[in-house]
Amino acid sequence: MTVREAGSRSHRGDADGTARALRRLRARWRTASIAAGWRFPSDWGLPEVDAVCSSAVLRCDLSDSLAGLGRARAASGAGLEETLTDLAALHAVLTHDQEHGGLIATDPDAAPTPMVRAAALAWADESCGELRNAETVESLTSLSTHAYLRTRLGEVYRRSRRAQVPVARTHALLVVTLDLSAVTGWARLMAMVLVADVLREVFDGGESVALLGPSVAVVLAERDPAFGERALNAGWLITERLAVDPQMATGRRPWLRVEQLPDTEDGARTLLHGLSRA
């Protein structure tokens, strides 16, 4: 009996040690990546990041998890240069003695070719795949995609030009942003699923509801007297539903704001790109 109990404690101790190692690696990698130039800290953490950390801590082959990360970075709007800089930060962390404090210097050219190849090819494949398969709906949340929203905006701007009425007078863009920097794993995705459910429930009159990034959703709606009330209602419902699950309760209310649409369609596309990385 004594032997079994000791083995059980050892197993739990190993599991706790692995969990601590995963958290340390993730935190050090994020810090190094931001220091190296990652522009939007709120969209750095993805489930694929945790998969890479798990492979590294367990000393498994990183190829598959890095490929998954490359695809996820492309899907979330991160450019190839930024993705490879993030990869260089990971390599710096993995090869730097964690017993020494301070920031870790990242060398963009130091990452081994197999690491770069796995992530870069997957990034390119995902980017080209988006062009080949321009889906209108994002699979997990069932919200419209970034590409579809651009198409809808084009229709709105063409109608505006014909009517000679500025788009900013007829339509509004409601932006919903969650701070998921403290949320890890699949809980990040489930938080956005809840946001999607609320937005579809509140804006059910033909508005375009789209997912722009890992933590950003938007609603393209006509400006009408009830728009402000619906926006406030959406904010309260999102907060209430996220609070039910401790893993998704960030302690911060979702940030809802109305963005004024620019005068031109090109300006609107630029705005969407910026919002997708917010």
Side-chain angles (χ1 to χ4, degrees), residues 144-248:
S144 299
T145 61
H146 192 152
Y148 177 76
L149 185 60
R150 288 197 302 267
T151 299
R152 280 288 296 117
L153 275 171
E155 296 169 351
V156 168
Y157 274 88
R158 287 192 294 275
R159 186 169 63 183
S160 168
R161 286 194 296 271
R162 185 172 64 184
Q164 297 185 340
V165 177
V167 170
R169 286 179 52 189
T170 61
H171 287 76
L173 196 66
L174 175 67
V175 184
V176 182
T177 305
L178 296 185
D179 180 1
L180 299 176
S181 57
V183 181
T184 61
W186 292 103
R188 293 177 60 93
L189 299 181
M190 293 312 299
M192 293 309 295
V193 170
L194 289 179
V195 169
D197 286 342
V198 169
L199 292 180
R200 282 195 300 267
E201 177 182 328
V202 175
F203 294 94
D204 60 353
E207 298 88 349
S208 296
V209 185
L211 187 71
L212 287 193
S215 57
V216 183
V218 298
V219 180
L220 175 64
E222 293 185 3
R223 286 189 177 275
D224 60 39
F227 174 74
E229 182 179 349
R230 289 200 299 272
L232 289 174
N233 189 30
W236 281 110
L237 285 175
I238 291 170
T239 301
E240 181 181 79
R241 294 184 187 179
L242 289 177
V244 172
D245 189 330
Q247 285 189 296
M248 290 182 285

Side-chain angles (χ1 to χ4, degrees), residues 7-274:
S8 178
R9 285 196 297 270
S10 176
H11 177 75
R12 287 198 299 272
D14 289 345
D16 291 343
T18 298
R20 285 194 297 270
L22 286 170
R23 289 193 296 270
R24 282 198 302 270
L25 175 56
R26 189 181 191 277
R28 295 175 71 231
W29 180 9
R30 183 177 186 272
T31 299
S33 187
I34 292 172
W38 188 269
R39 291 176 293 171
F40 301 94
S42 64
D43 72 0
W44 180 85
L46 297 171
E48 290 77 9
V49 166
D50 298 327
V52 172
C53 290
S54 179
S55 295
V57 168
L58 297 176
R59 299 184 182 279
C60 299
D61 182 24
L62 293 177
S63 298
D64 288 344
S65 56
L66 287 175
L69 180 64
R71 285 189 289 271
R73 292 299 190 209
S76 68
L80 181 57
E81 182 178 0
E82 192 171 17
T83 298
L84 295 182
T85 300
D86 180 50
L87 189 66
L90 169 64
H91 177 258
V93 167
L94 292 176
T95 56
H96 187 272
D97 186 357
Q98 64 181 1
E99 296 301 323
H100 295 85
L103 291 177
I104 300 173
T106 298
D107 182 355
D109 300 319
T113 300
M115 289 182 68
V116 174
R117 179 182 176 84
L121 288 180
W123 184 96
D125 185 61
E126 177 68 22
S127 297
C128 293
E130 286 186 353
L131 296 177
R132 291 193 302 267
N133 306 303
E135 300 289 344
T136 61
V137 176
E138 195 273 332
S139 59
L140 185 65
T141 63
S142 296
L143 293 185
S144 299
T145 61
H146 192 152
Y148 177 76
L149 185 60
R150 288 197 302 267
T151 299
R152 280 288 296 117
L153 275 171
E155 296 169 351
V156 168
Y157 274 88
R158 287 192 294 275
R159 186 169 63 183
S160 168
R161 286 194 296 271
R162 185 172 64 184
Q164 297 185 340
V165 177
V167 170
R169 286 179 52 189
T170 61
H171 287 76
L173 196 66
L174 175 67
V175 184
V176 182
T177 305
L178 296 185
D179 180 1
L180 299 176
S181 57
V183 181
T184 61
W186 292 103
R188 293 177 60 93
L189 299 181
M190 293 312 299
M192 293 309 295
V193 170
L194 289 179
V195 169
D197 286 342
V198 169
L199 292 180
R200 282 195 300 267
E201 177 182 328
V202 175
F203 294 94
D204 60 353
E207 298 88 349
S208 296
V209 185
L211 187 71
L212 287 193
S215 57
V216 183
V218 298
V219 180
L220 175 64
E222 293 185 3
R223 286 189 177 275
D224 60 39
F227 174 74
E229 182 179 349
R230 289 200 299 272
L232 289 174
N233 189 30
W236 281 110
L237 285 175
I238 291 170
T239 301
E240 181 181 79
R241 294 184 187 179
L242 289 177
V244 172
D245 189 330
Q247 285 189 296
M248 290 182 285
T250 64
R252 300 184 182 180
R253 289 178 56 83
W255 182 25
L256 278 76
R257 65 194 187 278
V258 177
E259 290 280 353
Q260 180 171 321
L261 287 166
D263 294 333
T264 66
E265 185 179 347
D266 285 343
R269 288 173 177 262
T270 300
L271 173 63
L272 288 186
H273 180 71

